[in-house]
Amino acid sequence: MQFLKGVGPKRADKLNKLGIYTVEDLLKFFPKEYEDRSRFSLLKESPIGEKASLEVEILGSGQILKPRKNMSILKVPFKDNSGQGYLTFFNQEYLKNKFNIGDIFKIHGKINKIGMELQVTNPIFEKKELNSNLGRIIPLYSLTKGLTNNDILKIMTIAVKENVDLLQENLPLYMMHKYNLMSIKDSIKNIHYPINSEKLKQAQNRLKFEELLILQLGLFMIKSSSTTDNKGISFCKFKDTKKMINSLSFKLTNAQTRVIEEIEKDMDSDKQMNRLIQGDVGSGKTIIAAIAMFKCVKSGYQSAMLAPTEILATQHFKSLEPIFDEWGIKCELLIGSLTPKNKAKVLEKLKNGEIDILIGTHAIIQEGIEFDRLGLAITDEQHRFGVKQRAILNKKGNNPDIIVMTATPIPRTLALILYGDLDISIIDELPPGRKEIETFAIGPNMIERMNGFIKKQILEGRQAYIVCPLIEESESLNLNSAQEIYTELKDNTFKEFKVGLLHGKMNSKEKDEIMQMFKNKNLDILISTTVIEVGVNVPNANIMTIYNSERFGLAQLHQLRGRVGRGEYQSYCILINYSKNKIARERMRILQDSTDGFKISEKDLEIRGPGEFFGTRQHGLPELKIANLFTDIRILKIVQKEALEIMRIDPNLERLEHQKLKIEIKNMFKDVGEDLILN
């Protein structure tokens, strides 16, 4: 890198901090955004408070003002065809000699109005005859200390000029013709030095296409290697499974029946199952897990079910134990709050094969916990449950089948990436008879009226959740804290009722006690942080109130709403929106209009944009340089179709036209290695 003109050892060190070690790294160091300085406007027509490019004539030498100590303002008068204004520079007196009467400059800066005076504050400027940073679209790069955007622009100019012709195509020619994609050379030129906005768009499109194709092919290859290598357990086919389903007190939905058939097919085969079950809040994932565990036990193996919290593990245990008990299946609970004596008993019975089904937290896969014959492991609620964890489980059994369950609905296109090595089952139907939760978005001015409604419902025998975004009051963020609201409501608004507080800083025992009190109707109102997002079934609770709802993602609000509507009573979700922002209002409207988690998550992606839906880093995916999984969904859909076709005709990428893609896949996944988490 330091042999490139303009890059010495010191600058090379700074570039290293940005992940740039080679000329190729530099060429693929894409701008984070662009500033369009190609369109010139007139001073009087430029919007106040926004940046604009102008061509101006200097009317006089600059005047220096000193409004206070350690501060100077240089004002240079100018005119254009629409009127007059001032170039204003703060603490830059040395620029005074740069401007002479009659000089013509191109400038770019923010237009401000001070009284009747128009000013362009701290503008970029250059003589009209020059053509470097004005009159064109300028790329803006991520920076590090001691490296400016201009520094990178200068280095990039040399790198592109001297090396772009050495770049070779990675994409097959047939694909480039099919989608009319720009060549790699033209793409790199236009991504760093766009001729115009249309060429920039074409360059971005081509580079995103390539990056997403390589990512998707890589994930498909990992998936195909894991399905061919891992011999699993071939479970027995039983009539008992049908009997067990028929003995349930409710009828399964068509979607549940379809997913059970997919699971049974996996369990009957001798390949290890790796399946994701996606289902909206209340769609009935737990009973599907129970049926899979039943089949496993009846085949002579043990099952494990992992939940993210002790509360949820306990709930699963209490709801499933009676079902299994009828069939003589022994079910136990393993959580951190067990006494050492009881824990030792459970572990001994597990090792001896006296326990058929173990339900607990992630502690189940820790060292020292031995199964007699583990055949199936199920994890609930999108755990970071990836290659490493699966490797641990494989050692605890003979390549046990694996099911991952999530109530966060993700569009299928994204699920193919984020859950790349798992087969996907979707429960896209809710059990009949569930009353739709009425959802209202209100402003803080309606809180008093809302509290009156909550009182009326409690007097009728119901219970309410009140959710706040923080535990303690924050000075930096003007948000309602759970502690603050708890004190106010307990001592004043709802002083005649029993009010409890639940938050993440409590230990498991305290959380369990509070949750149990609420479930047993010893509390009328539970004030909580989002710790209840994944949680306990309280059929009598029919009100969910969420303060500062604008601070939550739509998918998260939908999850919280799903805590109510679980009983026979009409349920309500009240979203208190403190923002006057148009987007915040639009987001609240989506929740009012829809109870379909998949539609809501699609809209969440659309509105919130890149990276905010949930971080892809938690999935351990390779870092993308230009594409964005959320905003580039259109390109992703096309790419997935092409990737599937390539895997069908050339699964090992041995054909000449696919060999460069194979090299790029190895490059993309080289840093991920064993840490790759694909779910």
Side-chain angles (χ1 to χ4, degrees):
M1 193 64 231
Q2 61 186 21
F3 301 109
L4 190 71
K5 192 179 169 189
V7 181
K10 282 185 179 174
R11 188 161 277 177
D13 284 345
K14 285 166 187 163
L15 290 167
N16 292 167
K17 284 177 186 169
L18 295 169
I20 301 168
Y21 296 91
T22 64
V23 172
E24 189 181 358
D25 290 340
L26 182 63
L27 294 176
K28 290 183 178 176
F29 183 67
F30 301 127
K32 59 182 170 73
E33 56 184 321
Y34 295 84
E35 198 166 74
D36 191 350
R37 301 176 190 168
S38 62
R39 294 179 189 150
F40 285 86
S41 56
L42 294 169
L43 177 65
K44 291 277 176 75
E45 291 169 7
S46 303
I48 304 298
E50 290 183 25
K51 287 186 173 182
S53 294
L54 311 172
E55 196 171 291
V56 303
E57 181 184 339
I58 302 301
L59 295 177
S61 58
Q63 177 191 7
I64 294 169
L65 308 172
K66 299 210 172 181
R68 62 173 183 267
K69 198 181 174 186
N70 298 329
M71 185 186 186
S72 69
I73 302 171
L74 170 62
K75 289 176 73 178
V76 181
F78 72 83
K79 70 169 184 179
D80 72 356
N81 290 337
S82 69
Q84 294 185 11
Y86 288 89
L87 307 181
T88 310
F89 300 92
F90 290 90
N91 294 330
Q92 296 177 75
E93 293 178 39
Y94 63 91
L95 293 176
K96 188 174 189 296
N97 299 328
K98 297 270 184 187
F99 302 99
N100 297 307
I101 297 171
D103 284 350
I104 306 292
F105 277 90
K106 288 183 288 187
I107 64 167
H108 180 84
K110 192 175 180 182
I111 312 292
N112 290 316
K113 192 170 187 179
I114 312 295
M116 297 303 292
E117 196 174 273
L118 287 170
Q119 297 183 358
V120 187
T121 310
N122 288 334
I124 297 160
F125 60 90
E126 63 185 30
K127 288 276 183 76
K128 186 187 174 183
E129 57 272 18
L130 297 174
N131 188 23
S132 56
N133 284 339
L134 285 168
R136 64 189 186 88
I137 298 168
I138 294 291
L140 302 174
Y141 297 91
S142 297
L143 302 172
T144 188
K145 195 176 177 186
L147 210 55
T148 66
N149 203 64
N150 274 346
D151 292 335
I152 294 179
L153 281 170
K154 282 172 192 167
I155 301 163
M156 198 66 79
T157 305
I158 297 157
V160 170
K161 192 176 177 184
E162 292 180 359
N163 298 280
V164 79
D165 289 330
L166 303 174
L167 293 171
Q168 293 185 319
E169 286 295 349
N170 295 319
L171 292 177
L173 283 174
Y174 71 82
M175 207 178 280
M176 292 185 64
H177 292 315
K178 184 176 178 181
Y179 294 105
N180 194 22
L181 296 171
M182 192 182 254
S183 73
I184 187 65
K185 292 172 187 177
D186 286 341
S187 299
I188 292 295
K189 281 179 195 169
N190 277 283
I191 206 76
H192 296 295
Y193 295 97
I195 295 169
N196 53 43
S197 56
E198 185 52 41
K199 290 286 184 197
L200 171 59
K201 199 174 172 186
Q202 285 175 27
Q204 287 172 323
N205 192 58
R206 184 256 141 82
L207 293 166
K208 287 174 179 183
F209 187 102
E210 180 177 323
E211 189 170 47
L212 289 171
L213 180 68
I214 290 161
L215 175 68
Q216 185 64 83
L217 278 171
L219 294 175
F220 281 160
M221 288 180 88
I222 289 168
K223 182 173 179 175
S224 67
S225 69
S226 67
T227 51
T228 49
D229 293 351
N230 280 2
K231 279 276 180 194
I233 302 159
S234 182
F235 293 91
C236 308
K237 295 184 180 180
F238 282 110
K239 286 181 182 170
D240 276 6
T241 311
K242 286 272 183 285
K243 276 189 197 170
M244 186 257 194
I245 292 169
N246 292 333
S247 74
L248 296 170
S249 59
F250 52 87
K251 192 173 181 294
L252 297 177
T253 63
N254 293 334
Q256 284 174 312
T257 303
R258 187 187 67 243
V259 171
I260 287 163
E261 282 167 5
E262 289 166 355
I263 289 169
E264 284 216 86
K265 195 177 167 191
D266 282 353
M267 291 180 81
D268 293 343
S269 97
D270 63 355
K271 295 255 169 56
Q272 186 185 26
M273 168 166 64
N274 278 309
R275 185 165 288 279
L276 168 76
I277 300 174
Q278 273 198 92
D280 213 339
V281 178
S283 61
K285 294 181 295 298
T286 311
I287 198 63
I288 288 174
I291 293 161
M293 290 191 284
F294 179 88
K295 182 179 171 81
C296 169
V297 172
K298 286 291 179 182
S299 299
Y301 290 87
Q302 293 167 302
S303 272
M305 188 174 187
L306 288 69
T309 64
E310 290 198 7
I311 294 175
L312 198 55
T314 307
Q315 179 177 290
H316 284 323
F317 176 71
K318 284 180 178 170
S319 65
L320 294 176
E321 190 191 27
I323 296 172
F324 292 130
D325 206 35
E326 276 182 45
W327 297 89
I329 292 172
K330 294 189 174 59
C331 188
E332 278 287 358
L333 180 68
L334 180 67
I335 51 176
S337 53
L338 283 183
T339 62
K341 190 180 170 185
N342 285 341
K343 186 180 177 183
K345 261 189 207 169
V346 171
L347 295 185
E348 187 62 30
K349 283 158 75 178
L350 185 71
K351 192 177 174 181
N352 296 338
E354 293 169 54
I355 293 172
D356 300 309
I357 290 171
L358 184 65
I359 296 172
T361 55
H362 216 249
I364 286 177
I365 61 167
Q366 283 176 354
E367 268 183 56
I369 293 169
E370 291 179 51
F371 289 82
D372 176 43
R373 242 185 138 203
L374 180 66
L376 172 68
I378 298 174
T379 63
D380 193 16
E381 288 304 341
Q382 58 175 39
H383 246 289
R384 281 181 56 95
F385 194 71
V387 171
K388 273 192 174 175
Q389 287 92 333
R390 263 180 249 160
I392 296 165
L393 270 172
N394 285 349
K395 286 173 191 166
K396 290 188 184 289
N398 180 20
N399 283 357
D401 279 1
I402 284 166
I403 293 174
V404 181
M405 303 196 299
T406 176
T408 305
I410 302 162
R412 187 178 275 279
T413 313
L414 262 185
L416 270 175
I417 290 277
L418 296 172
Y419 301 100
D421 69 337
L422 297 168
D423 293 307
I424 300 165
S425 291
I426 295 176
I427 313 171
D428 50 7
E429 185 183 357
L430 288 177
R434 278 186 65 124
K435 286 195 175 90
E436 200 161 292
I437 301 160
E438 288 186 25
T439 305
F440 304 94
I442 64 168
N445 58 322
M446 290 184 73
I447 288 176
E448 204 174 312
R449 190 173 159 190
M450 175 196 80
N451 288 338
F453 176 71
I454 293 171
K455 281 180 186 177
K456 184 172 176 287
Q457 289 291 314
I458 293 171
L459 290 169
E460 287 174 15
R462 305 293 75 75
Q463 290 164 282
Y465 291 101
I466 294 176
V467 174
C468 314
L470 296 173
I471 301 168
E472 291 146 0
E473 193 172 357
S474 163
E475 285 180 25
S476 56
L477 293 168
N478 187 21
L479 299 179
N480 292 286
S481 79
Q483 187 67 56
E484 186 190 359
I485 285 186
Y486 170 67
T487 307
E488 166 60 30
L489 297 183
K490 181 175 73 78
D491 296 344
N492 298 308
T493 314
F494 297 120
K495 62 185 176 192
E496 70 269 41
F497 300 116
K498 290 167 282 186
V499 182
L501 175 66
L502 182 73
H503 58 73
K505 284 190 179 174
M506 291 175 164
N507 64 40
S508 297
K509 192 167 179 267
E510 289 170 325
K511 284 182 199 166
D512 281 350
E513 281 171 4
I514 292 285
M515 210 62 234
Q516 211 52 51
M517 283 174 74
F518 190 60
K519 196 171 182 179
N520 296 341
K521 301 183 187 175
N522 296 327
L523 292 174
D524 301 306
I525 297 169
L526 182 61
I527 293 164
S528 171
T529 56
T530 54
V531 73
I532 53 120
E533 179 186 354
V534 171
V536 178
N537 200 359
V538 183
N540 191 54
N542 74 327
I543 296 176
M544 169 60 70
T545 298
I546 304 164
Y547 278 79
N548 294 102
S549 54
E550 74 280 359
R551 302 291 304 183
F552 299 91
L554 289 185
Q556 193 179 25
L557 289 170
H558 178 61
Q559 290 275 320
L560 287 165
R561 173 167 65 180
R563 291 295 105 219
V564 295
R566 290 168 173 257
E568 59 193 282
Y569 312 105
Q570 178 59 56
S571 291
Y572 307 90
C573 177
I574 302 163
L575 307 166
I576 308 168
N577 174 23
Y578 284 76
S579 171
K580 294 189 169 83
N581 181 299
K582 188 184 169 192
I583 289 176
R585 284 202 303 272
E586 189 186 337
R587 290 174 67 239
M588 296 307 120
R589 201 171 295 122
I590 288 161
L591 276 164
Q592 281 180 279
D593 295 346
S594 179
T595 53
D596 183 327
F598 286 92
K599 280 184 187 163
I600 288 166
S601 71
E602 293 246 13
K603 283 285 181 191
D604 212 7
L605 291 179
E606 238 174 72
I607 294 170
R608 299 181 92 203
E612 284 190 49
F613 182 66
F614 49 70
T616 51
R617 294 305 293 270
Q618 74 194 47
H619 291 271
L621 290 169
E623 206 170 335
L624 298 176
K625 293 180 187 299
I626 190 163
N628 183 289
L629 291 177
F630 310 111
T631 51
D632 297 323
I633 211 103
R634 182 190 60 81
I635 301 172
L636 186 55
K637 281 178 182 172
I638 297 166
V639 157
Q640 283 176 345
K641 199 171 78 177
E642 288 299 329
L644 283 165
E645 181 58 19
I646 290 172
M647 292 303 286
R648 187 184 69 78
I649 60 171
D650 185 17
N652 296 315
L653 305 186
E654 286 164 348
R655 290 189 182 184
L656 190 62
E657 69 259 41
H658 297 144
Q659 283 176 12
K660 289 211 177 82
L661 288 172
K662 194 171 188 174
I663 293 164
E664 289 305 310
I665 288 166
K666 283 178 182 170
N667 288 337
M668 181 181 274
F669 284 88
K670 71 177 187 295
D671 295 330
V672 178
E674 286 181 13
D675 291 330
L676 182 61
I677 292 174
L678 296 169
N679 59 301

